[in-house]
Every structure is written in C-alpha cells, then in structure tokens.
Amino acid sequence: MIGSARGRLLIAMAFLLPNLIGFLVFTAGPIVFSLAMSFTDWALTKHNQFSDAPIRFVGVQNYHRLLVGDESIFFWDYFGNTAYLMIGIPLGIAGSLVLALLLNARLGPTAPRNRATGAIVAAVVGLAAVAGAWMLTTPGPAPEVPVMSTESGLTDLSQWELARLRSNAAVLAAAVLTAITVAGMAIGPVFFRTIFYLPSLLAGVAMFLLWKTLYKPEGGLINAGLRPVLASVHDMVSHSPPVMWKGMGLGIVIATGLLGARALAVGAIKLRHRDCGIAAFLGRIAITTLFALVGIGVGMVVMNLPAMASASPDGFDPPEWLVSRAWAKNALILMGVWLGIGGGNMLLFLAGLANIPPELYEAGDIDGASGWNRFIHITWPQLAPTTFFIVIMSTIGGLQGGFEQAMVMTQGKYGTTVLAYYLYNLAFTDQFQLGLASAVAWVMFGMIFLMTLFNYRFGSQMTNE
Amino acid sequence: MRWLLLTLVALWSVLTVVAYTVILPESRASEPVIAAYFAVGEAPGHPEAAAFIEAFRAYAAARPDLPPLAEGRLSSVAQMPPADRARWYEAFRAFDADRPAPVLADYPTLVWSTDDNPARRTQCDLFRQWHLRTYGTPADVVTDPSNRDITKTVVQCVAGAGPDIIEVFGPAELGQLVDAGVAMDITDVARADGFGIDTVFPAVASSISRDGRQYAYPCNVGYTVLFYHRDMFRQAGIAEPNESWTIDDLIEASKRIVGNPAVPSNPRFGFMNYGAWDAALAAGGRWFNEDGTAPAYHSPLTIAGFRAYRDLMYHHGVMPTPAQAASMAASGGSNMNAGAEAASASALFASKGIAMTVGGRWEYVALARRNLDRVIRPAAERRIATLAPGDPQRELLTTALDSLTRDVLVPISDAQFAALEAALTEADRDQLVQLGVAHVPTLTGQPYYSVAARSAVANRASPRADAAARFLRFLSSREYNAQINSTFDSICGVPAFCLGEDGISGPPHPLPGLEAFDSPVFAEAVFSHAHPWQLSPFIGQGRLGAIAGQVMERLTADEITPEEAASLIDQRVDAQMRANITRDAGLRAEWERRTGVTFDPGIPLRDQVKRSTAPESDGGAP
C-alpha cells in the first residue's frame, strides 16, 4: 500500500479525471442539455445571436405535439417504419448463430499436407474456371462505328462496351471465388471467420452505396440474378395445371398450421409440467407466430401463382427494391440481416461457443444425444446469456438505427424514414427546431428504456431457466 | 525498427513545417490579386488603379532583368511561362512593399460558399478585375465548396463562423437565412448602386427579396425547357414541337416514336423528367391563395395537372414511373431527388434512350462532350489521317480538337468549326445528338415556367460585409453576366444582359448537333412565361415538402387518385398552417392582418378566409 488514503485518492482521481471530464463535457452535459432543450421552443433560425426573441419554456408542449398533436401524424408513421425495420433483428441473430456454429465446426482438412493438396486442387480448378469464363464471354474486336446500347440502367454505353463489361464481371466473379476457396482450403476456418467479419470493418456508407447498386431494379446484380429464376418459375407455372399450385399452397398452409399448433401444444404441456417458465412460453408463441406467418404467406403466394402468371403474360417482374413503397423497407431489412449475420454478433456467439465446457458434449455423447439434441439441450441453454446480451443490444440499435440507410439509400422515401432520420430533419432541415428534435430524442430514449426493461424482466428469467 | 519509425515521424513533421512555411507561404495568396492588376493593366478603369499601374510600369521599365512584355502589355504576363510570370509577380511585390501604403498589405479576401469549377474560378478572376476597375483597390474572393449545404451554412453563420457570401437556391433557402437573421439587408446600397430588385427578372424577385427588402442578387436563373431529338422526329415523320404544343401532342408524338422501326435508336420512353408539380402549375393550379393565408391544392386545375401527370405514366405509358426512372438512373437510382432524376434523364437523353426530356442550358457541357467524344473527335481523326502534313485543314482540325478536348466551352474559330462540320459524314451525323428545343407542353398550350434564382447573400455578421455587398453588385455587372451566358451556366438574372452579343446567343458557337442551345426559346421562357415560386409565410418549405412528399409517393405509385392526393395535401397543409399560427403570436398577427378576420384554430383556413374581405383564391374546391 503506497501513501495515505487521501494521497491514493488523489492519484486515482488524477488518472480518472481526463476521462471523467471528457464524459461530463461531451456526453453527460449534452444529454442533460438536450433534456432541458426538449422543454423549450428553441429554433436556431429564431433564437440566435441575431435575434432578440427569448427562448421560451413550453413545458411538455413538444411531447404533446409529437404524441398527439400536429407532429403525431409524422411521429407515429416513422415509429411504425422503425418498428417494421426491426423485424430483421431476430433473423440476423439467428443467422449469426448458424454462422457461428458452422465456423466453430471443423470444416475441411486439418493436416497441413492435406490442406496444401486441397488448395492446389482448388487453385487448378479455379484457374480453369477463370480461363473458361474469359474465353466464353470476351467479345470480339470493337466495331469501328459503335452501336449504342438501349439497355436502361447502363446509359451511354455501346453494345460492345456492355459485352466487355459483362465479360469482366464474369471473370472477376470466377477469380474471387477461386481466391476465396484456395485461401479457405489453405488457411482453414480462421480465414472464413475473417472474411465474414470483413463487412463490419467497412464504413456503413460504403456498404450502403454498394447495396444501392446491387438493388438497382434494372442493371442491378440482384435482379439480374432473379430474372432468369422468375422466368423459369413463370414458365413452369404457365405450363402446369393451376390446381397443382393451389394444392401445393394449401398443403404448405396446412402443414405450417399443424407444425405451429404442435409447437404451441408442446409448449403448453411443458408449462403445465413446469418444464419451462412463462417467459419461455411467450418466446415460443412469438417464434411460432412468426414462423406461421411466413409459412402461411408463402403458401398463399404459391396458391396465387397461376393467377399471377396469367396476369403477367410476359413474365414475373422482379422487385423494384428501393424505389417502391412495397419493397423499400423489406430491401433494407434484407440488407440489415446480411450486415448483421457476419458482424459482432457472430463473434460473440463464437466466443460463447468456445466457453461451453466440452464435458457437457462428452456427457451428451455418452447418453447418445443426436446433433439436434446436443444443440437444444447443451449449446442453446449455454448460449442464453450471450443471446440475451445480443438481443438487448440489437433492440437498442434497432430503435436508434436506420439513419444512414435512409440518408444514403432512399433519402427517407418510400416509407423508410425512421425516428433517427426524422430527428435529424427536424433539427437541421426543417426550420432547425432544436427543442422539438430533442423531444424526439427523449421519446426514443423512453421507448428504448421500456423495451430494455421488458427484455430484462423476461429475458433474464429465460436466461436463468 | 523503432528508430526507423521515429525517423519517419520526424521526416513527416519536417515536411509539414516546410509545406506551411516555404511551399505555401502567405505571399502566394496575393498572386490572383497581382494577376488582376496585370489583367486590367491596359484599361484600369479607375484613377487610383491607373496611377498605381503607371507607377509600376515606370518601376518595371527600370528593371532590365524582367522578361519582356508582348507588345508592352502587362496582360501578356498571364501567357508567360510560370518561371517568367513568377519574376513579374516578385517584381510587383517588391514595388508594392516599398510604397508608403502597400496595396497587398491589407485587402479583403471574401469566402464564397459555392462549388469549385473552371467557371467559378473565371468568375473570381472577373471579380478581382472588376473591383480594381470599379473601386481602384484590390479585393479577393475564394470559393469554399465544402460548405455549400444551407443547413451547415446557417449553423456556421449563427455561430459567427460562416462564409462572407452564401450561395442559396430559390426563395425557400433565402427565407431560412432571412429568418435566422444571417442575410444582410442590402436594399439601400443596392438601390444606390443600381443593382436593386428592379434590375432582375420579375419572376426571380422572390429569390432575392422578402417583404420588399432585398437580401441577395441572382447568380443565374434556373428553369428547364423541352429537349427533343430532332432526328427521331424526322425519322418518325412528325412535325417538330411548336409553341402551342400541348400534353396531348406530346403523348401522340411519343407513341409514334417509341417502338417505331423507322427510329433506329429505339428509345424506351417518349418523355422523362417531368413532375406532378410541374404539371399542376402548368395546368393553372396553385399551392396557396393569393396572399398565402390558406392552401389551395384542392382545386380542379391542380387535380387536372396531377391526373395528366399520372396518365403520362400509367395510362399512356409514355413516361417512366418514378420507380422506372430510378431504375434507369446510372447512379444506382434509388434516391430520386430532383437532381438525381434530372441527371438520369440527361444521361438517357444523351444516349438516345428517350425521345424527349426537360433540360436546362447547363446541360450543354455534357452533351457537347458526348458529341465530341462519341462522334466528332473520331470523325475528325479519321479526316486528319487522310490529310497531308502541312495541309491547312489538318491544322484547323488538330487545333480545334486540342482546344475542345481541354474545354468544350473555349470558343473555336468559324474556320475550325467549318472544318469540323466538313469532317462529319452522314453516318456520323446520325450518331450525333441533334438537339431540338421547344417550350415544355402544358394542358392548356400556354407555356408556364416556375423559375427561381441561384443567388448570393452577404453574411450580415461578416467582418468584410461591405466587400461582400460589393461582390453582390459585381453579380449585376456586364462581365459577370456575359460569362454566365457564354459558359451555358443556365441564363443570367439580368434581362438587360440576356440578349445581344453578350447574351445567350452570343459566342461560343455550339458544337455540331447542339445549335439549338442558341434557341430563342430560352429567352422567351424567362421573358414571357416565367412565374415565381408559390410560397406561404405560414408554413416552412421543409415541412411542406414532407407533407406533400408523403402523399405524392402514393400518387406516383398509383395508390390514390389525383382527387384524393390534392385533398389530402390540402387538409394536412391546412392543419399544419393552423398549428403554426396557433403557436406563434407573430404569425397569428400577420395572418389576421392579411385576412382581416380573427383566427380560429378549429376552422379550416380556407373557410376562414372565405369570410374575410381579402381577395379570393383561384377555382376553389371542386
């Protein structure tokens, strides 16, 4: 022990102060200040150094405007958008878990010699594929007088330039796949972990711009891939009896219903026998409902395929993704799921998996547990604290998020304005209403706080079970 | 390794210090001003500048070490090699430093929040020269392209760190600056110096003034006319558009061009880049009543415009839906703001993917580059290859190509132009964009243009506010406006400079295929058919956009009818205006002053206004 208690305190404070001052000035101060602002009518255009008008205390007027007043039409609309976009959170978490399980498994050869052999074979096959792609797709010499392409989405390119562009894309795709396979063979799962984590290292805006290009309804890679699939489906539906599709759709709906009912019945029995708590039962209901909705939706689509095919004799149109009210939010969800699968959640699950004692699996093996039973009775319960943490953080992130996507990809159009983007617009583009924007921030805080309390109340119960 | 890293850090530090002390010394900042002295050397314009330049000439004459001037003209310094030019600049600095009151010691340097491009740099040069000629003393201006966003500018200005001259687009942005108290009131100085509101196009008066007070001056005027491919009309056997063209004529022409085997470029759509608001205004619709005290969206004329817009896409299929337009955008096409859609339409028009679009004069550069790169240069190079060295035609073609490759806006001689034209074969001409220009068709056949100005505002809190006001005066000068016209930067804001040698039909001669950029349609549009933006002081433009945007998304997706769209916007704007008036005592007083009735927050404004003695708005509810 060095020096007196007072001296030790002073030394500790000296170390803590820089961080504490930074926290007070740049975090706590602005938080308190924004709370105060939310009870005022402060608008930067009206209350500044050029104006004598005083900032007025307006009590809870800003909150009233947001929740039931003239702003409520916007606020609740954007809250609905925010909540809808959060549908992707459980999908992303599930994807992260699956990916972590895959990357945790021993994939591919482990002996160095076998790895080297695998890499060499992959390299040879890959190079052959690259050469094949190059030979098959490279256009001949450019014509002297260029013939312009009329294909939309890729403007002011000649047909030859377009063919060359496609050839380059094909060769590039083959080369990238080859490189990944060879490296994966040579290095092993660590390489794939790195690859899957890479998107998290890239700046959000860069990713969003990339996805924006992928989502282009015409000229975008996603629809370019979907078109032949949809054409095949259309062809298949058009040349088969409608009753077959109706039967298939009905079958999917009934099967989904039965599976859902079974899941609920099992849950009810477990609850009755105290094999699970109320929280687990509620979770089971939520997941079953989601599963049933998806299944019933798919079944309905399958049932309606013949009618859809006859209504579109030229083929099914692929989605218009970011430029339609029907698809824009779903497009953002899909992108969010992709971004979420390989990010920090995957790492947390991998860390959680690494911490599961191997004796538990050994005991399971001795008892003859199948892979599924090992997952359900060992892995999943052992991962509960990790899952709980991820759910909490993802929920908070979901309520706060969506700003960059709205700003970069859609500018808030087609139902993609979320609360964070709304807050920004109020504060900086719509008359600089700082007071009202602060109120939005605090309402968001309240929602996040309540949601987190709910998660703690029921989630921690599930974790303890 | 550690020593290597330390050495690298030390080297980096030294280089940084050297860069700031030697490579970028303060004295270099005065080069543009010295260049301005040299540029006005033969015609200083102001006695003070003339005396200064004369004294410098005498000083330079005693310096035999200086490189000789071409024909004794100081302006020839600009054409000298950099090393020679530097010696003249150094001589100027030495001469100035010995004077009792050096001009380079203290002159205002204005910061102008605008984009940085060759045209702006030329405008900055013109300002320095104009200031010398007009006031006899130097002044500098530099652009600040990273602070153009109006949001950022307002925040900077109220924090006391804004630019001296702020670029604003239209009355809404000007309103933000005026509301924030940032914009300097220049009414009196503008009137005294002859650049008042009465010197600009009446339709852009609202872009530079508010409540009769002037806060800005136009940099240029923005509006778009109908662009069409003349070759497509010829190939389809259709007469080209004229002034009385209507929407029906446009639909008919589009249907005859698209899918016509006689039109080899096979455009996908007939028309593009036309909005519901354009259609409604052109149909005679209004957003607000005359004094802006009540919304007027729900009128038969507005609805007719909305319907025409919807039918162009969904009934006639001659115009892409916003989703289709976005999907055709080269930029990824999901954030179809006006700029993105216009850029997409321009690119598609240039590649002959659409027969008609609406566009502005600023599109000359893109179209000229396209014609140059795709057709004119290859044709000229083929021609050059057939000509013997020393052939005058070869020389003309080579110099013309060199000049145009550097900058398509640099004027070429008539002989060079003729040589380029002669190099084009019939097959080449078919590949050219052969532009036609006409008035944008309307439902009524009466052209209608809603115009606004890109203008400049002087920052009231600027320590150089006086010089900033002089810059605004410069925007009314012949030099500036001639430059706007000659660089196809839309059209200048001063009617007196729009026509004649300095006007929009003056030099440079547009490249082959683009002669229509000299069309009188551009001038007619702004002289005869221009109208100001419709605004109301009782609702902000941002909020108006949010309300209308929500509804228009549903109209453009064909989810609601034009009647429902007009009614919804009207109701929501009315509710928002009432909420604003209820909250703000000042707004309430202003509303009551304008209408003459006592405001009642529970009754729609349209109904309240009907009780007033103020003039009624248009059509009324259907």
Side-chain angles (χ1 to χ4, degrees):
Chain A
M1 197 69 73
I2 303 165
S4 65
R6 187 190 169 100
R8 287 201 301 277
L9 179 69
L10 282 174
I11 291 169
M13 286 305 291
F15 280 107
L16 286 173
L17 259 185
N19 198 15
L20 199 61
I21 290 171
F23 172 76
L24 288 174
V25 173
F26 296 113
T27 305
I31 287 174
V32 174
F33 191 61
S34 80
L35 180 63
M37 275 164 68
S38 71
F39 297 108
T40 69
D41 67 344
W42 192 359
L44 204 57
T45 47
K46 288 181 185 163
H47 310 103
N48 57 48
Q49 61 161 325
F50 303 114
S51 165
D52 295 331
I55 298 168
R56 285 189 309 125
F57 174 78
V58 294
V60 294
Q61 190 191 70
N62 288 330
Y63 294 92
H64 181 268
R65 284 180 67 192
L66 283 178
L67 301 176
V68 292
D70 58 301
E71 285 296 323
S72 62
I73 189 170
F74 295 104
F75 179 81
W76 290 114
D77 186 17
Y78 302 150
F79 174 72
N81 294 341
T82 311
Y84 188 95
L85 289 175
M86 287 172 69
I87 289 174
I89 290 175
L91 299 175
I93 294 174
S96 296
L97 177 59
V98 171
L99 191 59
L101 289 169
L102 284 173
L103 293 177
N104 198 48
R106 294 194 168 200
L107 299 171
T110 49
R113 180 176 290 180
N114 293 344
R115 278 189 191 174
T117 311
I120 290 167
V121 171
V124 171
V125 173
L127 285 175
V130 171
W134 182 74
M135 283 190 286
L136 285 173
T137 58
T138 302
E144 195 165 304
V145 178
V147 181
M148 300 309 292
S149 165
T150 55
E151 184 166 338
S152 56
L154 296 165
T155 53
D156 210 20
L157 290 174
S158 70
Q159 288 180 3
W160 183 85
E161 285 168 331
L162 208 55
R164 196 180 59 178
L165 203 64
R166 289 198 171 117
S167 168
N168 289 349
V171 172
L172 187 68
V176 168
L177 274 177
T178 302
I180 289 175
T181 314
V182 171
M185 282 288 183
I187 300 168
V190 172
F191 173 77
F192 288 110
R193 285 177 199 177
T194 312
I195 285 284
F196 279 111
Y197 191 68
L198 265 185
S200 305
L201 300 177
L202 297 174
V205 172
M207 296 305 301
F208 300 146
L209 286 173
L210 174 71
W211 273 87
K212 202 170 115 175
T213 310
L214 292 175
Y215 271 140
K216 270 187 75 174
E218 292 190 39
L221 208 57
I222 291 175
N223 276 4
L226 273 179
R227 271 179 213 285
V229 175
L230 290 173
S232 303
V233 172
H234 186 272
D235 197 41
M236 205 160 48
V237 173
S238 305
H239 294 91
S240 52
V243 67
M244 185 183 94
W245 297 97
K246 289 188 187 299
M248 203 186 299
L250 198 62
I252 294 172
V253 170
I254 291 170
T256 306
L258 288 175
L259 285 173
R262 181 189 173 277
L264 289 180
V266 169
I269 291 167
K270 282 188 170 183
L271 183 67
R272 191 175 172 191
H273 291 89
R274 298 181 183 277
D275 281 348
C276 73
I278 184 74
F281 183 63
L282 288 175
R284 181 180 282 262
I285 289 177
I287 291 170
T288 307
T289 308
L290 194 64
F291 167 77
L293 284 175
V294 172
I296 290 168
V298 171
M300 299 293 280
V301 169
V302 172
M303 280 169 75
N304 281 314
L305 275 177
M308 289 158 66
S310 56
S312 316
D314 297 333
F316 295 133
D317 288 327
E320 289 173 326
W321 298 118
L322 296 173
V323 289
S324 82
R325 285 169 55 81
W327 278 100
K329 279 199 278 276
N330 299 319
L332 293 185
I333 288 174
L334 280 178
M335 182 190 71
V337 168
W338 181 84
L339 285 171
I341 282 178
N345 292 351
M346 178 196 74
L347 284 190
L348 288 168
F349 275 128
L350 277 171
L353 286 169
N355 285 331
I356 297 176
E359 305 88 68
L360 294 177
Y361 289 112
E362 287 165 14
D365 288 341
I366 292 166
D367 289 344
S370 64
W372 174 249
N373 280 331
R374 279 159 53 106
F375 173 74
I376 285 295
H377 296 294
I378 301 172
T379 311
W380 180 240
Q382 289 293 315
L383 283 178
T386 310
T387 312
F388 175 59
F389 175 75
I390 289 173
V391 167
I392 295 269
M393 296 312 289
S394 300
T395 309
I396 293 172
L399 279 166
Q400 288 179 330
F403 173 79
E404 286 170 305
Q405 291 92 319
M407 188 82 172
V408 175
M409 300 177 77
T410 59
Q411 296 193 320
K413 290 181 179 177
Y414 309 112
T416 59
T417 297
V418 290
L419 287 176
Y421 190 61
Y422 172 54
L423 186 158
Y424 165 80
N425 279 332
L426 279 179
F428 296 112
T429 62
D430 189 10
Q431 299 180 348
F432 300 87
Q433 302 177 77
L434 299 181
L436 190 60
S438 298
V440 175
W442 279 92
V443 171
M444 281 172 68
F445 168 76
M447 287 174 170
I448 291 170
F449 189 71
L450 285 177
M451 193 75 91
T452 308
L453 272 185
F454 178 85
N455 276 335
Y456 264 103
R457 171 71 184 82
F458 293 103
S460 58
Q461 186 185 341
M462 195 151 50
T463 305
N464 293 331
E465 284 165 7
Chain B
M1 190 61 170
R2 188 173 54 181
W3 287 110
L4 178 67
L5 282 173
L6 282 173
T7 311
L8 282 174
V9 170
L11 190 64
W12 181 258
S13 308
V14 170
L15 280 175
T16 308
V17 171
V18 169
Y20 278 97
T21 55
V22 180
I23 302 173
L24 302 167
E26 186 62 26
S27 60
R28 301 248 168 170
S30 61
E31 281 190 1
V33 170
I34 301 173
Y37 270 103
F38 289 165
V40 304
E42 281 66 58
H46 191 278
E48 194 177 327
F52 184 91
I53 289 168
E54 203 48 48
F56 174 67
R57 278 182 187 281
Y59 169 82
R63 290 271 307 262
D65 58 313
L66 288 173
L69 297 169
E71 299 171 10
R73 291 163 50 244
L74 275 176
S75 55
S76 67
V77 171
Q79 275 76 48
M80 286 181 183
D84 291 351
R85 205 162 54 221
R87 286 164 66 189
W88 273 97
Y89 287 163
E90 207 44 57
F92 188 96
R93 285 194 192 96
F95 163 74
D96 185 55
D98 286 344
R99 290 172 64 85
V103 293
L104 297 181
D106 183 28
Y107 59 84
T109 298
L110 298 167
V111 176
W112 181 17
S113 65
T114 186
D115 51 339
D116 183 31
N117 59 40
R120 291 286 180 280
R121 288 195 281 277
T122 305
Q123 287 159 17
C124 291
D125 287 341
L126 289 175
F127 170 69
R128 295 180 197 108
Q129 295 162 23
W130 173 87
H131 199 276
L132 272 180
R133 288 199 193 97
T134 311
Y135 298 101
T137 56
D140 197 4
V141 62
V142 293
T143 59
D144 182 8
S146 57
N147 287 307
R148 295 173 60 209
D149 178 68
I150 191 70
T151 300
K152 204 171 170 183
T153 308
V154 169
V155 174
Q156 285 175 337
C157 288
V158 297
D164 304 296
I165 304 152
I166 306 157
E167 183 174 66
V168 295
F169 291 86
E173 286 192 359
L174 177 73
Q176 282 189 313
L177 291 179
V178 173
D179 284 344
V182 169
M184 185 166 76
D185 186 337
I186 58 165
T187 311
D188 298 331
V189 66
R191 196 176 292 143
D193 286 342
F195 65 107
I197 301 170
D198 55 339
T199 60
V200 306
F201 284 109
V204 299
S206 62
S207 295
I208 64 167
S209 65
R210 194 150 178 212
D211 299 330
R213 306 298 296 176
Q214 185 177 350
Y215 296 94
Y217 204 80
C219 297
N220 65 15
V221 181
Y223 60 94
T224 48
V225 298
L226 181 73
F227 282 7
Y228 61 94
H229 286 290
R230 300 186 68 190
D231 48 337
M232 291 188 194
F233 275 72
R234 193 171 56 248
Q235 289 153 355
I238 311 169
E240 294 186 23
N242 56 37
E243 188 166 339
S244 60
W245 238 44
T246 63
I247 294 279
D248 289 337
D249 295 322
L250 178 138
I251 293 166
E252 177 65 22
S254 296
K255 287 180 175 173
R256 288 178 61 185
I257 290 173
V258 176
N260 188 336
V263 182
S265 48
N266 190 23
R268 188 169 170 201
F269 286 101
F271 186 45
M272 195 173 169
N273 198 23
Y274 189 61
W277 305 113
D278 302 317
L281 283 172
R286 293 189 60 86
W287 308 155
F288 301 99
N289 60 359
E290 289 294 339
D291 54 4
T293 52
Y297 291 87
H298 197 204
S299 77
L301 298 175
T302 305
I303 292 168
F306 284 176
R307 188 177 296 115
Y309 167 74
R310 185 199 59 181
D311 289 352
L312 280 170
M313 299 180 293
Y314 293 103
H315 185 61
H316 303 292
V318 300
M319 189 170 81
T321 63
Q324 288 169 324
S327 70
M328 293 188 291
S331 61
S334 41
N335 54 337
M336 290 306 286
N337 55 30
E341 181 162 357
S344 161
S346 301
L348 278 168
F349 183 79
S351 60
K352 301 198 176 184
I354 45 172
M356 292 171 274
T357 184
V358 291
R361 287 190 87 231
W362 53 85
E363 290 179 34
Y364 173 78
V365 173
L367 288 172
R369 283 202 181 120
R370 192 266 179 201
N371 272 2
L372 180 69
D373 294 342
R374 290 278 177 198
V375 187
I376 298 172
R377 181 183 296 113
E381 285 171 348
R382 283 200 303 275
R383 175 86 177 122
I384 288 169
T386 65
L387 296 171
D391 188 311
Q393 283 291 310
R394 184 188 174 105
E395 186 65 20
L396 283 173
L397 286 170
T398 307
T399 52
L401 282 186
D402 284 349
S403 171
L404 290 170
T405 302
R406 277 198 304 277
D407 185 353
V408 287
L409 291 174
V410 172
I412 56 173
S413 69
D414 289 344
Q416 287 173 318
F417 187 83
L420 284 180
E421 281 218 302
L424 296 172
T425 63
E426 278 307 309
D428 291 327
R429 287 184 187 280
D430 288 342
Q431 294 290 322
L432 282 174
V433 169
Q434 296 171 40
L435 183 76
V437 166
H439 287 300
V440 180
T442 61
L443 279 178
T444 59
Q446 176 65 30
Y448 184 104
Y449 294 94
S450 181
V451 304
R454 176 173 68 83
S455 51
V457 171
N459 180 359
R460 177 180 159 197
S462 161
R464 294 163 291 276
D466 289 345
R470 292 201 291 274
F471 181 85
L472 266 52
R473 183 185 172 193
F474 159 70
L475 298 180
S476 71
S477 69
R478 186 192 63 78
E479 295 93 320
Y480 174 81
N481 288 284
Q483 199 267 352
I484 289 289
N485 294 329
S486 68
T487 54
F488 298 93
D489 188 0
S490 193
I491 188 170
C492 74
V494 185
F497 296 127
C498 271
L499 307 174
E501 182 65 15
D502 292 330
I504 54 176
S505 56
H509 196 295
L511 285 182
L514 305 177
E515 293 84 355
F517 273 100
D518 278 351
S519 166
V521 166
F522 286 105
E524 283 170 19
V526 71
F527 272 98
S528 310
H529 307 295
H531 301 268
W533 284 11
Q534 294 183 30
L535 300 168
S536 166
F538 304 103
I539 184 167
Q541 196 71 8
R543 178 41 52 98
L544 198 59
I547 293 172
Q550 270 190 339
V551 178
M552 294 313 282
E553 269 184 21
R554 298 172 63 192
L555 174 72
T556 52
D558 206 20
E559 290 176 6
I560 53 173
T561 65
E563 290 81 0
E564 289 168 333
S567 173
L568 261 178
I569 298 175
D570 203 273
Q571 286 170 25
R572 291 184 181 178
V573 169
D574 189 287
Q576 185 67 58
M577 288 172 74
R578 273 186 286 146
N580 292 345
I581 296 167
T582 305
R583 263 195 309 277
D584 190 324
L587 277 185
R588 182 177 182 140
E590 177 62 19
W591 191 89
E592 290 180 346
R593 187 188 68 76
R594 291 188 185 206
T595 58
V597 297
T598 305
F599 173 71
D600 184 337
I603 302 175
L605 294 174
R606 184 193 289 269
D607 296 338
Q608 296 189 57
V609 167
K610 277 180 186 163
R611 294 183 307 190
S612 77
T613 53
E616 184 50 274
S617 64
D618 76 306

